[in-house]
Amino acid sequence: MSPRPSQGGRLPADPGKPGSPPEDISDKKNEIVAQAQAEGFALARVCRPDAVPEISKRLEQFVAEGRHGDMAWMGERMNWRGNPAALWPEARSVIMLAEPYTPDHDPMAVIGQPDRAAISVYAQNKDYHDIVKKRLKRVGRWMIDRFGGEIKVFVDTAPVMEKPLGAAAGLGWQGKHTNLLSRELGNWFFLGAIFTTLELPVDAPGRENCGSCTACLDACPTDAFPAPFQLDARRCISYLTIEHKGPVDEELRAKLGNRIYGCDDCLAACPWNKFASDAHEIRYAAREDLLAPKLAELMGLDDAAFRQKFSGSPIKRIGRDRFLRNVLYAVGNSGDSTFLPTLEPHVNDPDPVVADAARWAKAQLQAV
C-alpha cells in the first residue's frame, strides 16, 4: 500500500521578508520557477490537477490486463491515482519539477563485464526520494512564506501519476518507453510535484517528438513493450529485480544478464540524451563501489553487511534476500564456473527463493 500523502500546511508569513507578494499570478509563477531553479531544479512547469482525465481509463486497462504484476498498490486508491484532482480537492495548481541525474559514465559499459553487477544509474548513490523531497519542501515553505496558501509535496511515494502530469505541465512527453522525455534534459531526470491551493498560470503540454524512432523498444532485453507507449511490467527488468518478490520466470532469467537492480537499457538508448543536462547534485554521482561491483563480493554479503553497504541507498529497500536472488541470477548468467564453490552454500539458503536461484545458477554454470 502506498504511504499516506505528504501533508502540507499553511504557515505564517515571514514578517522579516521584504516586499509584498505580487498581485499578478504570472509574476507569482515566475518567482516560484526562479526559486525552484535556485534550489537546484532544472525545470519547473505548471498544470491543473484535472489536466490528465485520460489516465483513469488507461490505468484501469493496465491493471485489468494484469500488466502491473505484483504491484497491488496500483489497483488500490485508483480513484486518486487515476484522478489527481481527487487526491486533494482544494488544490488549484500542480507544479511539476525536474531534477537531472545524468550519468557521467557509459551506463551500458558494465553489461559487457559478466563478473560484475549492473546497478541502475539512479541507485548508484543516495536515495533520490529523500533528496528531492527535502528540496521540494524548501520550495514549498518559501511559497507559503511568500504567498500564503497550502501545499502538499510528492516524490514517487503516493498515488500520483507524475509522468502524465509532467507531460501535461510541459516538462516533456512520455516516450515510447513510457518514461518522460525532455528536449532540454533527455530522459535522465527525477520528477517531483508540489500541489498548491494557489492559482497559477498553466504551461502548454508537452508534444510527442519520438517520430519513427524505436531505439528504446529495440534495446529492451526482455521485450517488455507490447507496443510503442505501452509497458508490460511483468517483463520489465526494473520491475523483476525491484518490485517482484518471488522467483523470476525461468524464461526471463537468462535475459536479466548481470542486471541486479533496475535496468537502464531503454533510457540509455534514447537519442534525445544528446541534449541531456548534467546532474548538479553530487549525491547522485556514482559511488565507486557501486559503479561495477564484483558479483563475488555481493554474493558474500550477509544481512548485516548488506544493510551497512546500502545504508541511505534505495537498494536497501528490497532487502538482502531479494538482492541476493538477483545476484545469483547474474552469477548463473556469467558463464564462469569458478563461482561454483562460493555459490554452493546458497543452495540451502533458508529463503526458498534464494535457494531456488542458487540451484538454477549452479545448473547453468555446470552446463558451461
Side-chain angles (χ1 to χ4, degrees):
M1 178 179 291
S2 298
R4 291 174 60 85
S6 304
Q7 297 300 308
R10 182 163 188 158
L11 300 177
D14 182 355
K17 187 173 288 294
S20 300
E23 295 295 330
D24 187 273
I25 61 174
S26 294
D27 290 340
K28 285 183 181 179
K29 176 184 170 182
N30 291 339
E31 285 196 32
I32 292 169
V33 170
Q35 184 66 24
Q37 291 174 333
E39 285 289 352
F41 290 105
L43 293 176
R45 301 285 188 271
V46 178
C47 67
R48 294 279 175 256
D50 60 357
V52 287
E54 72 281 0
I55 64 171
S56 180
K57 288 186 178 179
R58 282 165 43 191
L59 178 61
E60 288 177 6
Q61 182 178 356
F62 182 77
V63 173
E65 293 176 354
R67 291 183 178 179
H68 62 312
D70 293 340
M71 296 182 288
W73 47 266
M74 294 201 73
E76 298 167 357
R77 299 185 179 181
M78 200 175 299
N79 61 317
W80 285 0
R81 199 174 299 279
N83 180 14
L87 180 62
W88 186 30
E90 292 81 4
R92 294 293 174 265
S93 308
V94 179
I95 306 166
M96 294 301 302
L97 304 105
E99 181 167 347
Y101 67 98
T102 310
D104 58 5
H105 61 279
D106 177 5
M108 301 306 295
V110 66
I111 302 301
Q113 303 176 57
D115 64 327
R116 304 277 178 154
I119 294 173
S120 188
V121 168
Y122 84 87
Q124 291 176 356
N125 205 318
K126 295 296 184 181
D127 192 335
Y128 75 93
H129 294 91
D130 299 332
I131 298 172
V132 176
K133 194 164 195 175
K134 288 177 181 177
R135 209 184 303 282
L136 288 173
K137 286 183 175 181
R138 288 197 297 271
V139 175
R141 180 173 289 276
W142 175 90
M143 287 171 56
I144 293 171
D145 286 346
R146 179 75 172 129
F147 305 120
E150 297 179 71
I151 62 143
K152 294 182 190 289
V153 302
F154 303 98
V155 190
D156 196 27
T157 54
V160 176
M161 300 285 273
E162 286 99 343
K163 289 186 286 187
L165 284 171
L171 288 181
W173 70 96
Q174 283 191 260
K176 292 180 180 178
H177 54 11
T178 74
N179 292 297
L180 205 64
L181 278 167
S182 163
R183 282 179 174 270
E184 298 97 329
L185 305 178
N187 57 199
W188 301 105
F189 58 92
F190 300 125
L191 292 171
I194 301 176
F195 281 55
T196 175
T197 55
L198 298 176
E199 290 277 2
L200 299 172
V202 300
D203 290 284
R207 187 176 64 179
E208 189 256 303
N209 282 287
C210 290
S212 61
C213 178
T214 59
C216 60
L217 309 183
D218 299 337
C220 181
T222 53
D223 298 318
F225 302 104
F229 309 105
Q230 296 182 30
L231 172 69
D232 188 338
R234 295 168 297 183
R235 299 186 66 86
C236 175
I237 293 176
S238 285
Y239 162 78
L240 292 171
T241 56
I242 299 173
E243 300 288 347
H244 182 60
K245 298 180 176 66
V248 173
D249 289 345
E250 291 202 21
E251 170 217 351
L252 297 174
R253 294 180 187 183
K255 296 180 180 182
L256 300 180
N258 62 343
R259 301 168 185 84
I260 66 163
Y261 189 92
C263 178
D264 291 324
D265 292 45
C266 65
L267 295 174
C270 181
W272 281 101
N273 284 328
K274 63 186 176 183
F275 300 113
S277 174
D278 291 338
H280 301 300
E281 174 56 67
I282 190 65
R283 288 172 291 180
Y284 297 146
R287 280 169 39 183
E288 189 64 31
D289 63 324
L290 297 185
L291 194 56
K294 294 180 179 179
L295 289 173
E297 294 178 1
L298 299 180
M299 190 167 43
L301 295 176
D302 59 17
D303 187 66
F306 168 81
R307 290 176 177 275
Q308 181 178 15
K309 184 175 183 65
F310 295 108
S311 176
S313 162
I315 297 174
K316 184 180 177 182
R317 298 184 180 197
I318 67 172
R320 178 260 185 187
D321 291 343
R322 201 181 312 174
F323 177 81
L324 182 55
R325 175 203 65 180
N326 299 339
V327 171
L328 291 170
Y329 290 148
V331 168
N333 290 328
S334 70
D336 186 351
S337 59
T338 62
F339 278 121
L340 283 169
T342 50
L343 174 64
E344 187 63 34
H346 296 300
V347 171
N348 297 311
D349 193 275
D351 185 286
V353 176
V354 171
D356 170 75
R359 289 192 294 270
W360 179 84
K362 180 179 179 180
Q364 299 303 113
L365 297 182
Q366 287 177 331
V368 172

